[in-house]
Amino acid sequence: MALPPYRSTRSGTCSDFVLPRRFDEPITSRHLLTHTAGFEERIGGLIGAEGSTADLRKALVTDPPEQIYRSGTMPA
């Protein structure tokens, strides 16, 4: 069963790519800002060499984090 992409229930915006999700509960902006969206911690692809910038979108699209907790239940 494919789950819908992240969609903020407050702002009504969504990303232009789909992050795989394990749970049906919505992920809100609050969850993202408080690090309680349930995704595993990951830094690979997010730290660039000195003088360069990392592309967050590219890192999320090519190697998305796994949702391991229900949104709103565990800081990660």
Side-chain angles (χ1 to χ4, degrees):
M1 172 175 128
L3 295 174
Y6 155 74
R7 182 176 297 277
S8 171
T9 57
R10 298 210 182 239
S11 67
T13 61
C14 63
S15 62
D16 64 341
F17 57 92
V18 177
L19 286 176
R21 295 185 33 216
R22 182 178 291 178
F23 305 103
D24 292 328
E25 289 85 8
I27 297 172
T28 65
S29 297
R30 181 183 182 120
H31 293 137
L32 294 172
L33 293 171
T34 59
H35 302 269
T36 58
F39 294 105
E40 66 183 337
E41 294 182 33
R42 181 174 295 175
I43 62 169
L46 302 177
I47 300 175
E50 187 174 336
S52 69
T53 59
D55 185 341
L56 177 59
R57 184 186 184 288
K58 182 179 177 183
L60 289 173
V61 169
T62 58
D63 190 19
E66 183 178 348
Q67 187 181 28
I68 55 177
Y69 302 109
R70 291 188 184 279
S71 58
T73 62
M74 179 72 68

